[in-house]
Amino acid sequence: MALRLLRGKDGRLTAYVPVSGGLARWTEDRPGGSSWTGPWLIRTPGLSQVTIAQGPDGYAHLVGLRRTEGKDGPKVDLVHATQFQTGRPLTAWHSLGTPHPKDRAKAQRTGPPAAALDASGALRVFVRNAGGGVSARRQDPKGTWERWTDWKGERVLGGLSAASTADGRLELLAPAGKGAALRWFQPKPGAAPKRGEDVPADARPDSASVVETSPGTLTHYWRDARSGELLAWRPDVPAPAPLGGAAGTGPVAAVRAVVDGHDCTVLAHQDTEAGRLAVAAHPSEDEAAGVWWTPTGEQGAHTPALALDDQGGVVLAALSLDGKLLVARQKTDERGLALHAWTRVGGG
């Protein structure tokens, strides 16, 4: 998991980032304010590869891969915890096991998780299994966990990306070998997930991300395996659209926002050539209109995250080289996607 930025039901933002020994968390003291509390360390030895899913109720579901040493050797399992209120402690971590409960060697090959909530409020957790396919485990709306199920698939590389539309229709993208990404989706809210056609994507592992760009439509992003260029794709589009700009690293952060009264998608990524972050905005679902990247922030800033504050303004967060949280907010008195100066929040 890179840095994640979430808005709770009370309008305050929370930033999460993996650190040695667990997770660091920063929380806004008030919605839209300049002061934050943190970092607060959520101690979880062996925790890595964390993803976070948030539902309409504002609850944050944290799912991570945990590696520990036991009397019988290394052990791997998936763990889950929930934060019900902004700034409050998490629940205890609950083990979800792996798709391979009786084979420790296979369990070691379990990939990083992805997670999303569907229309019923059920949480689904996805991983690449030891056979190169996808396995999933579902927590029903009452909190009961079902068994791991095999969603099939093949040659999955890792870096799964999952999300739900505002009406709760879930999609999963799994970068795979031979120039394809596998896709599962719910045809309508509450329907059983089904395998879609493969997406033409020669994607780098761990570069996929997704955001809802219009009601009911999710746009998926990834980096080309050779060039590192960002591409965008959504259903009913014949081919992935290039997003221009220099090559970068990691997934792109994306959020849908209003810019100058227009429905836009705002993007941020780590530009390896400029050595800093770059941001862009374009009309939602109109990549052909052009995407122009603007460098921002200090040298070495990395792992960008985007969110909307309680007033609908864009907030960009990142980490500095010395582990401090950097935050920049959208200016409301200027045209275009103008950001205020970066605020350095605290040490990690």
Side-chain angles (χ1 to χ4, degrees), residues 15 21 27 34 52 61 87 90 93 107 154 157 185 232 245 261 305 312 325 334 343:
T27 305
S34 60
I52 304 178
H61 294 267
L90 276 65
W93 291 96
E154 59 285 319
L157 302 175
F185 69 101
L325 181 67
E334 292 187 21
T343 300

Side-chain angles (χ1 to χ4, degrees), residues 52 147 184 204 312 315-316:
I52 304 178
R147 295 183 178 182
W184 288 260
R204 285 185 182 176
V315 180
L316 172 62

Side-chain angles (χ1 to χ4, degrees), residues 254-347:
V255 69
R256 186 179 172 203
V258 175
V259 180
D260 290 341
H262 300 287
D263 182 352
C264 292
T265 300
V266 179
L267 306 169
H269 80 130
Q270 191 171 345
D271 188 325
T272 51
E273 292 187 8
R276 62 180 64 193
L277 304 182
V279 297
H282 66 85
S284 289
E285 301 187 357
D286 188 11
E287 292 83 6
V291 180
W292 290 272
W293 295 93
T294 301
T296 184
E298 62 187 53
Q299 289 290 123
H302 57 99
T303 59
L306 286 165
L308 300 183
D309 64 18
D310 66 320
Q311 299 298 313
V314 175
V315 180
L316 172 62
L319 291 177
S320 66
L321 282 176
D322 58 1
K324 293 183 178 180
L325 181 67
L326 304 171
V327 178
R329 294 181 180 275
Q330 181 181 5
K331 293 182 179 181
T332 58
D333 56 352
E334 292 187 21
R335 293 185 57 82
L337 183 64
L339 299 174
H340 284 284
W342 289 85
T343 300
R344 187 175 290 254
V345 173

Side-chain angles (χ1 to χ4, degrees), residues 147-232:
R147 295 183 178 182
W148 284 99
T149 57
D150 187 357
W151 281 29
K152 307 302 181 180
E154 59 285 319
R155 302 187 303 275
V156 173
L157 302 175
L160 310 182
S161 177
S164 293
T165 57
D167 61 1
R169 187 181 56 77
L170 181 147
E171 287 193 23
L172 172 72
L173 191 78
K178 295 191 176 180
L182 315 185
R183 177 175 171 262
W184 288 260
F185 69 101
Q186 289 176 300
K188 61 182 180 179
K194 60 183 291 186
R195 174 86 176 265
E197 292 186 4
D198 291 353
V199 180
D202 189 9
R204 285 185 182 176
D206 304 320
S207 72
S209 59
V210 58
V211 71
E212 187 172 19
T213 48
S214 66
T217 300
L218 295 170
T219 296
H220 298 270
Y221 302 89
W222 63 83
R223 292 192 184 280
D224 181 76
R226 293 184 176 84
S227 68
E229 182 182 25
L230 287 167
L231 299 167

Side-chain angles (χ1 to χ4, degrees), residues 61 63 80-82 84 91 94 96 116-118 120-125 136-147:
H61 294 267
V63 182
H80 167 254
T82 307
F84 294 108
T91 63
H94 170 72
L96 306 182
L117 291 102
D118 65 19
S120 71
L123 173 69
R124 278 190 171 90
V125 175
R137 193 167 184 187
R138 180 179 182 270
Q139 183 190 42
D140 70 24
K142 295 182 179 180
T144 300
W145 285 95
E146 301 170 356
R147 295 183 178 182

